[in-house]
């Protein structure tokens, strides 16, 4: 459900340190991406540390927790080196198109036809898959992760929820126990978060967890692999 004008959780656009926009929710003291560089963070955490592991594959399925501005989806759709992708993106509060169209990704994200692609991703209907081109299919689902019905297993999870202090229920041990069941063997989950408790809970759920160097402005991030 979209957030109304007077909703305290309604986000506003801010410019991050690399010039790309992100959204800020003042009431949560949270940004949709790192304010040190939204584009840099998405590229590094989700594409470089996640998607690039699958460069030799023909096709993979990705699950994104927290579709938000669609920046991670856009960068994935623009990535032409690796596999074709079926991208399932979960979102409880889809953004208004008016707000999305004010984001400066068409100007700051390198690539061809960025604006057209970004618009197509946002115009795609909710709750049904749409092939944007022969390499990228988007399936946006308006649902909480906790309510997601069974779907085909995925190879890669972009875990991009608000931080544990803002949305603790998305970082509970039960989340990792449920997610590992939705991932193929050798599948991977990446997140910008590097909290010790999160790492230990992921390990307890059965993941092998690496602490990796973080994107600019963040010391570390986590990558969890299903054995
Ligand atoms: C950090 S932002 C996501 C940023 C996003 N990946 C992007 O590129 O803009 C977190 C998002 O998760 C959504 N969200 C909140 N609770 C959720 C839930 N239970 N399941 C799925 N998404 C949720 C929020 O509405 C918000 O859009």
């Amino acid at each position: 459900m979209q957030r109304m004008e007077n909703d305290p959780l309604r986000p506003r656009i801010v410019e991050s340190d690399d010039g790309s926009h992100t959204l800020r929710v003042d009431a949560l003291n949270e940004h949709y991406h790192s304010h040190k560089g939204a584009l840099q963070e998405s590229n590094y955490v989700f594409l470089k540390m996640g998607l690039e592991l699958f460069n030799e594959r023909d096709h993979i399925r990705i699950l994104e927790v927290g579709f938000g501005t669609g920046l991670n989806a856009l960068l994935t759709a623009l990535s032409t080196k690796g596999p074709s992708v079926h991208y399932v993106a979960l979102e409880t509060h889809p953004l208004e198109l008016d707000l999305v169209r004010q984001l400066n990704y068409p100007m700051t994200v390198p690539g061809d036809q960025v604006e057209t692609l970004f618009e197509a991703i946002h115009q795609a209907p909710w709750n049904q898959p749409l092939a944007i081109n022969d390499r990228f299919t988007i399936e946006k689902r308006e649902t909480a992760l906790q309510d997601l019905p069974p779907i085909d297993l995925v190879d890669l999870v972009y875990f991009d929820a608000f931080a544990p202090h803002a949305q603790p229920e998305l970082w509970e041990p039960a989340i990792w126990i449920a997610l590992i069941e939705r991932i193929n063997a050798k599948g991977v989950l990446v997140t910008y978060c590097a909290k010790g408790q999160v790492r230990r809970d992921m390990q307890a759920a059965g993941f092998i967890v690496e602490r990796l160097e973080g994107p600019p402005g963040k010391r570390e991030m986590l990558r969890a692999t299903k054995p």
Side-chain angles (χ1 to χ4, degrees):
M1 211 182 15
Q2 289 185 340
R3 296 204 184 274
M4 310 302 283
E5 201 80 54
N6 56 354
D7 186 332
L9 295 177
R10 199 176 147 96
R12 64 182 173 90
I13 294 179
V14 294
E15 190 175 309
S16 71
D17 289 356
D18 65 8
S20 60
H21 279 162
T22 187
L23 297 177
R24 176 176 165 79
V25 183
D26 292 326
L28 294 178
N29 192 22
E30 270 293 282
H31 289 88
Y32 275 47
H33 313 92
S34 168
H35 64 277
K36 307 251 184 213
L39 178 56
Q40 280 181 169
E41 180 191 51
S42 284
N43 257 326
Y44 180 84
V45 173
F46 300 106
L47 278 83
K48 187 169 171 47
M49 294 303 169
L51 183 61
E52 285 188 14
L53 295 175
F54 297 88
N55 272 352
E56 304 306 316
R57 291 273 298 273
D58 291 335
H59 182 75
I60 62 166
R61 288 175 58 85
I62 295 179
L63 174 67
E64 177 176 35
V65 180
F67 172 70
T69 63
L71 177 58
N72 296 335
L74 173 67
L75 296 176
T76 304
L78 282 165
S79 155
T80 49
K81 274 193 302 207
S84 64
V85 172
H86 185 110
Y87 195 99
V88 181
L90 311 185
E91 179 55 61
T92 48
H93 293 87
L95 297 169
E96 291 156 47
L97 265 181
D98 273 2
L99 180 69
V100 166
R101 288 185 177 135
Q102 293 170 47
L103 293 165
N104 69 359
Y105 301 140
M107 279 79 78
T108 53
V109 173
D112 291 333
Q113 306 280 316
V114 177
E115 187 164 13
T116 311
L117 195 53
F118 193 49
E119 181 75 16
I121 287 170
H122 279 282
Q123 290 278 10
W126 287 90
N127 306 315
Q128 64 185 80
L130 178 75
I132 301 287
N133 55 44
D134 57 359
R135 299 181 40 81
F136 188 78
T137 294
I138 184 106
E139 183 178 346
K140 298 186 296 184
R141 288 190 170 227
E142 190 173 354
T143 177
L145 169 64
Q146 302 92 316
D147 300 331
L148 181 67
I151 58 169
D152 289 349
L153 298 189
V154 301
D155 304 289
L156 176 60
V157 176
Y158 292 168
F159 197 85
D160 202 10
F162 288 128
H165 74 88
Q167 226 184 347
E169 69 276 15
L170 279 173
W171 302 87
E172 292 286 325
I175 293 288
W176 317 120
I177 293 167
L179 271 176
I180 200 166
E181 295 301 323
R182 293 181 178 274
I183 302 177
N184 282 313
K186 309 293 175 213
V188 168
L189 178 153
V190 271
T191 182
Y192 65 87
C193 177
K195 224 179 149 194
Q197 190 59 52
V198 169
R199 180 168 51 86
R200 289 187 289 278
D201 290 343
M202 287 174 170
Q203 284 167 335
F207 284 108
I208 295 162
V209 188
E210 300 164 86
R211 258 190 310 205
L212 304 173
E213 191 182 324
K218 280 212 176 138
R219 217 155 45 98
E220 290 179 334
M221 58 164 280
L222 296 179
R223 180 162 67 195
T225 304
K226 180 169 173 171

